[in-house]
mmCIF file of all heavy atoms in Angstrom:
data_model
loop_
_atom_site.group_PDB
_atom_site.id
_atom_site.type_symbol
_atom_site.label_atom_id
_atom_site.label_comp_id
_atom_site.label_asym_id
_atom_site.label_seq_id
_atom_site.Cartn_x
_atom_site.Cartn_y
_atom_site.Cartn_z
ATOM 1 N N THR A 102 107.131 18.618 170.068
ATOM 2 C CA THR A 102 107.975 18.775 171.186
ATOM 3 C C THR A 102 108.097 20.081 171.607
ATOM 4 O O THR A 102 108.217 21.001 170.769
ATOM 5 C CB THR A 102 109.329 18.209 170.734
ATOM 6 O OG1 THR A 102 109.294 16.781 170.440
ATOM 7 C CG2 THR A 102 110.383 18.304 171.951
ATOM 8 N N TYR A 103 107.949 20.420 172.938
ATOM 9 C CA TYR A 103 107.997 21.754 173.467
ATOM 10 C C TYR A 103 109.411 21.932 174.198
ATOM 11 O O TYR A 103 109.654 21.144 175.025
ATOM 12 C CB TYR A 103 106.764 21.985 174.299
ATOM 13 C CG TYR A 103 105.579 22.042 173.545
ATOM 14 C CD1 TYR A 103 104.885 20.872 173.130
ATOM 15 C CD2 TYR A 103 104.995 23.280 173.129
ATOM 16 C CE1 TYR A 103 103.772 20.832 172.439
ATOM 17 C CE2 TYR A 103 103.765 23.336 172.467
ATOM 18 C CZ TYR A 103 103.167 22.170 171.896
ATOM 19 O OH TYR A 103 102.115 22.191 171.204
ATOM 20 N N LEU A 104 110.052 22.983 173.783
ATOM 21 C CA LEU A 104 111.334 23.234 174.287
ATOM 22 C C LEU A 104 111.196 24.489 175.194
ATOM 23 O O LEU A 104 110.763 25.547 174.873
ATOM 24 C CB LEU A 104 112.381 23.574 173.227
ATOM 25 C CG LEU A 104 112.582 22.524 172.118
ATOM 26 C CD1 LEU A 104 113.329 23.043 170.963
ATOM 27 C CD2 LEU A 104 113.297 21.260 172.816
ATOM 28 N N CYS A 105 111.786 24.333 176.447
ATOM 29 C CA CYS A 105 111.879 25.462 177.397
ATOM 30 C C CYS A 105 113.300 26.064 177.095
ATOM 31 O O CYS A 105 114.285 25.496 176.955
ATOM 32 C CB CYS A 105 111.776 25.020 178.706
ATOM 33 S SG CYS A 105 112.116 26.132 180.015
ATOM 34 N N ALA A 106 113.369 27.434 177.026
ATOM 35 C CA ALA A 106 114.557 28.189 176.788
ATOM 36 C C ALA A 106 114.652 29.282 177.850
ATOM 37 O O ALA A 106 113.721 29.920 178.185
ATOM 38 C CB ALA A 106 114.624 28.756 175.361
ATOM 39 N N VAL A 107 115.834 29.490 178.464
ATOM 40 C CA VAL A 107 116.034 30.424 179.529
ATOM 41 C C VAL A 107 117.139 31.438 178.913
ATOM 42 O O VAL A 107 118.252 30.909 178.529
ATOM 43 C CB VAL A 107 116.404 29.796 180.784
ATOM 44 C CG1 VAL A 107 116.847 30.740 181.847
ATOM 45 C CG2 VAL A 107 115.316 28.861 181.289
ATOM 46 N N GLY A 108 116.873 32.674 179.035
ATOM 47 C CA GLY A 108 117.794 33.697 178.578
ATOM 48 C C GLY A 108 118.587 34.392 179.640
ATOM 49 O O GLY A 108 117.996 34.854 180.642
ATOM 50 N N THR A 109 119.930 34.361 179.534
ATOM 51 C CA THR A 109 120.825 35.187 180.427
ATOM 52 C C THR A 109 121.693 35.979 179.646
ATOM 53 O O THR A 109 122.500 35.442 178.742
ATOM 54 C CB THR A 109 121.574 34.175 181.180
ATOM 55 O OG1 THR A 109 120.643 33.323 181.933
ATOM 56 C CG2 THR A 109 122.398 34.929 182.300
ATOM 57 N N GLY A 110 121.695 37.311 179.709
ATOM 58 C CA GLY A 110 122.407 38.111 178.863
ATOM 59 C C GLY A 110 121.896 37.961 177.432
ATOM 60 O O GLY A 110 120.761 38.049 177.213
ATOM 61 N N ASN A 111 122.861 37.599 176.503
ATOM 62 C CA ASN A 111 122.575 37.418 175.043
ATOM 63 C C ASN A 111 122.466 35.993 174.739
ATOM 64 O O ASN A 111 122.266 35.677 173.556
ATOM 65 C CB ASN A 111 123.569 38.020 174.175
ATOM 66 C CG ASN A 111 123.204 39.604 173.963
ATOM 67 O OD1 ASN A 111 122.092 39.883 173.910
ATOM 68 N ND2 ASN A 111 124.300 40.310 173.971
ATOM 69 N N GLN A 112 122.476 35.124 175.705
ATOM 70 C CA GLN A 112 122.531 33.707 175.538
ATOM 71 C C GLN A 112 121.270 32.974 175.928
ATOM 72 O O GLN A 112 120.632 33.364 176.892
ATOM 73 C CB GLN A 112 123.739 32.981 176.258
ATOM 74 C CG GLN A 112 125.039 33.299 175.638
ATOM 75 C CD GLN A 112 125.909 32.165 175.553
ATOM 76 O OE1 GLN A 112 125.592 31.057 175.150
ATOM 77 N NE2 GLN A 112 127.176 32.303 175.918
ATOM 78 N N PHE A 113 121.077 31.867 175.153
ATOM 79 C CA PHE A 113 119.810 30.973 175.542
ATOM 80 C C PHE A 113 120.413 29.737 176.002
ATOM 81 O O PHE A 113 121.349 29.205 175.458
ATOM 82 C CB PHE A 113 119.061 30.745 174.207
ATOM 83 C CG PHE A 113 117.884 31.583 174.086
ATOM 84 C CD1 PHE A 113 117.766 32.768 174.645
ATOM 85 C CD2 PHE A 113 116.879 31.095 173.275
ATOM 86 C CE1 PHE A 113 116.696 33.585 174.416
ATOM 87 C CE2 PHE A 113 115.753 31.934 173.050
ATOM 88 C CZ PHE A 113 115.572 33.217 173.588
ATOM 89 N N TYR A 114 119.726 29.071 177.023
ATOM 90 C CA TYR A 114 119.964 27.732 177.304
ATOM 91 C C TYR A 114 118.581 26.891 177.183
ATOM 92 O O TYR A 114 117.563 27.328 177.703
ATOM 93 C CB TYR A 114 120.491 27.650 178.787
ATOM 94 C CG TYR A 114 121.764 28.441 178.892
ATOM 95 C CD1 TYR A 114 121.759 29.828 179.234
ATOM 96 C CD2 TYR A 114 123.071 27.799 178.617
ATOM 97 C CE1 TYR A 114 122.970 30.469 179.337
ATOM 98 C CE2 TYR A 114 124.218 28.570 178.702
ATOM 99 C CZ TYR A 114 124.113 29.847 179.034
ATOM 100 O OH TYR A 114 125.338 30.615 179.101
ATOM 101 N N PHE A 115 118.775 25.762 176.494
ATOM 102 C CA PHE A 115 117.559 25.009 176.235
ATOM 103 C C PHE A 115 117.406 23.769 176.985
ATOM 104 O O PHE A 115 118.586 23.163 177.381
ATOM 105 C CB PHE A 115 117.615 24.651 174.653
ATOM 106 C CG PHE A 115 117.273 25.718 173.917
ATOM 107 C CD1 PHE A 115 118.223 26.460 173.331
ATOM 108 C CD2 PHE A 115 115.970 25.916 173.315
ATOM 109 C CE1 PHE A 115 118.022 27.513 172.440
ATOM 110 C CE2 PHE A 115 115.690 26.951 172.449
ATOM 111 C CZ PHE A 115 116.723 27.731 172.008
ATOM 112 N N GLY A 116 116.256 23.396 177.396
ATOM 113 C CA GLY A 116 115.953 22.024 177.911
ATOM 114 C C GLY A 116 115.948 21.077 176.665
ATOM 115 O O GLY A 116 116.039 21.506 175.649
ATOM 116 N N THR A 117 115.878 19.777 177.047
ATOM 117 C CA THR A 117 115.875 18.726 176.029
ATOM 118 C C THR A 117 114.531 18.483 175.395
ATOM 119 O O THR A 117 114.493 17.795 174.397
ATOM 120 C CB THR A 117 116.424 17.433 176.463
ATOM 121 O OG1 THR A 117 115.696 17.053 177.645
ATOM 122 C CG2 THR A 117 117.865 17.529 176.884
#
Side-chain angles (χ1 to χ4, degrees):
Chain A
T102 296
Y103 289 80
L104 301 170
C105 173
V107 175
T109 301
N111 276 324
Q112 285 222 46
F113 264 21
Y114 299 90
F115 285 88
T117 54

